[in-house]
Amino acid sequence: MMCKVLIFGCIAAVILMTAAYGAPTTTTPIPPAQLLSHAIMDLEQLKNIDNDFLDFYTPNDKQECSQTTLECYLAELKVLKEDVEGENQTHITNIEKNLNKLKVGNSSNPTCKKCESNEKKKFPEFRQELESFLQSMLREIV
């Protein structure tokens, strides 16, 4: 009996503390500008990756095919993630999470190039193009 009183007392205390501190009941969406800014900051941390043996499809369609371009960059980031370790892998995971939140529905636009039809570039150029693409998306939002 004493054990039940103690358990219910603890549960009541937790409920009161939750109500008092205003625990969120729903998650508020992160604004797209903030997602892009975070992705750009993580991308900056990848400047020193030494990867001269892999080629990455690097889209150059910026405006009219932004969703297809975004998906292509995400696919290529998965390839890169398999080749790096530690902190670099964490930065890539963060970029993927932020960019996945920017995807909008079905992006299959027949006028946009398939990822594999884009030019292949080494990582430094790929990273620079991705950063440029994200900055252009950020300018559109702000």
Side-chain angles (χ1 to χ4, degrees), residues 69-135:
T69 300
L70 184 63
E71 286 184 13
C72 183
Y73 277 121
L74 281 165
E76 294 302 289
L77 284 169
K78 285 181 186 169
V79 173
L80 177 63
K81 191 163 126 180
E82 292 177 16
D83 187 58
V84 298
E85 298 173 344
E87 200 172 305
N88 288 332
Q89 208 168 42
T90 303
H91 289 303
I92 294 169
T93 300
N94 291 341
I95 294 167
E96 287 174 329
K97 285 179 184 176
N98 287 321
L99 297 186
N100 274 316
K101 291 176 185 173
L102 294 171
K103 288 174 29 178
V104 179
N106 184 6
S107 66
S108 58
N109 182 342
T111 62
C112 297
K113 283 198 259 182
K114 295 210 180 298
C115 190
E116 295 77 19
S117 64
N118 288 298
E119 184 180 348
K120 285 185 169 187
K121 296 184 179 180
K122 297 295 182 193
F123 179 72
E125 293 174 274
F126 170 83
R127 192 200 62 74
Q128 186 59 46
E129 290 287 330
L130 174 54
E131 186 175 337
S132 173
F133 170 68
L134 296 178
Q135 287 172 342

Side-chain angles (χ1 to χ4, degrees), residues 43-51 88 123-124 127:
L43 195 56
E44 281 290 319
Q45 299 300 315
L46 301 177
K47 269 187 175 178
N48 298 326
I49 288 181
D50 185 27
N51 183 322
N88 288 332
F123 179 72
R127 192 200 62 74

Side-chain angles (χ1 to χ4, degrees), residues 12-83:
V14 168
I15 290 171
L16 288 173
M17 287 175 58
T18 302
Y21 290 107
T25 54
T26 60
T27 57
T28 55
I30 300 170
Q34 190 174 353
L35 292 170
L36 286 166
S37 295
H38 287 282
I40 291 169
M41 285 188 292
D42 277 310
L43 195 56
E44 281 290 319
Q45 299 300 315
L46 301 177
K47 269 187 175 178
N48 298 326
I49 288 181
D50 185 27
N51 183 322
D52 285 340
F53 52 90
L54 282 178
D55 292 321
F56 300 93
Y57 292 112
T58 308
N60 56 10
D61 297 329
K62 297 214 174 12
Q63 300 288 53
E64 60 280 345
C65 295
S66 63
Q67 287 297 309
T68 305
T69 300
L70 184 63
E71 286 184 13
C72 183
Y73 277 121
L74 281 165
E76 294 302 289
L77 284 169
K78 285 181 186 169
V79 173
L80 177 63
K81 191 163 126 180
E82 292 177 16
D83 187 58

